[in-house]
């Protein structure tokens, strides 16, 4: 199963997700950062592979089984402009199951979802992945 974790900015969300997944499940993680800092953070957390930028998001979204990241990865120009329209379209159009973590920095609010702490949001995402494995 190909699990792709996408994150930007400082990579704290991707790092936390990667650490939790690696501590619970025996699977390979592809860390795709919108910048080198995010990629490095996820690799340091235990990701098996890492790449940075628009093209890795596009290429790895094609054959991913699961994509995990902040909800902004499906919205062009989110994460302070780090998500390009091509990145957002690639993730949104991917056949992969998507586990999207609601974060306030993306300016997207999903009606009916509670405001979760950072830790609770990460825990929910990893639990969702466990149900897919």
């Amino acid at each position: 199963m190909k699990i792709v974790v996408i994150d930007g900015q400082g990579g704290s969300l991707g790092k936390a997700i990667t650490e939790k997944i690696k501590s619970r499940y025996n699977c390979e993680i592809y860390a795709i950062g919108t910048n080198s800092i995010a990629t490095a953070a996820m690799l340091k957390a235990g990701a098996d592979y890492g790449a940075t930028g628009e093209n890795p998001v596009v290429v790895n979204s094609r054959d991913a089984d699961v994509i995990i990241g902040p909800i902004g990865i499906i919205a062009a120009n989110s994460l302070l402009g780090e998500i390009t329209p091509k990145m957002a379209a690639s993730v949104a159009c991917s056949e992969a199951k998507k586990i999207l973590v609601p974060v306030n920095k993306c300016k997207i609010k999903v009606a009916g979802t509670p405001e979760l702490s950072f830790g609770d949001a990460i825990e929910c995402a990893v639990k969702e992945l466990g149900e897919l494995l």
Side-chain angles (χ1 to χ4, degrees):
M1 178 171 280
K2 184 173 182 179
I3 300 169
V4 175
V5 179
I6 301 173
D7 198 12
Q9 299 182 319
S12 61
L13 185 132
K15 177 183 176 186
I17 288 172
T18 299
E19 287 172 343
K20 288 250 186 209
I21 292 171
K22 283 300 201 177
S23 72
R24 294 184 190 180
Y25 310 112
N26 183 22
C27 57
E28 290 186 331
I29 296 176
Y30 291 73
I32 310 299
T34 60
N35 62 64
S36 60
I37 295 169
T39 304
M42 292 184 281
L43 285 168
K44 188 175 181 179
D48 300 284
Y49 308 100
T52 302
E54 181 180 75
N55 200 55
V57 171
V58 172
V59 170
N60 286 283
S61 293
R62 288 182 196 147
D63 63 349
D65 295 301
V66 180
I67 297 173
I68 305 175
I71 195 166
I73 63 175
I74 59 168
N77 304 314
S78 66
L79 299 181
L80 299 177
E82 291 186 41
I83 301 296
T84 68
K86 191 171 182 179
M87 288 172 161
S90 295
V91 173
C93 293
S94 173
E95 292 294 319
K97 300 277 186 187
K98 295 161 201 71
I99 300 173
L100 304 173
V101 180
V103 293
N104 294 334
K105 292 182 181 179
C106 297
K107 297 184 181 179
I108 299 171
K109 172 69 174 147
V110 179
T113 58
E115 291 291 329
L116 298 174
S117 69
F118 182 80
D120 288 343
I122 300 303
E123 186 62 35
C124 287
V126 174
K127 186 176 179 182
E128 289 288 331
L129 174 65
E131 293 174 11
L132 296 174
L133 294 177

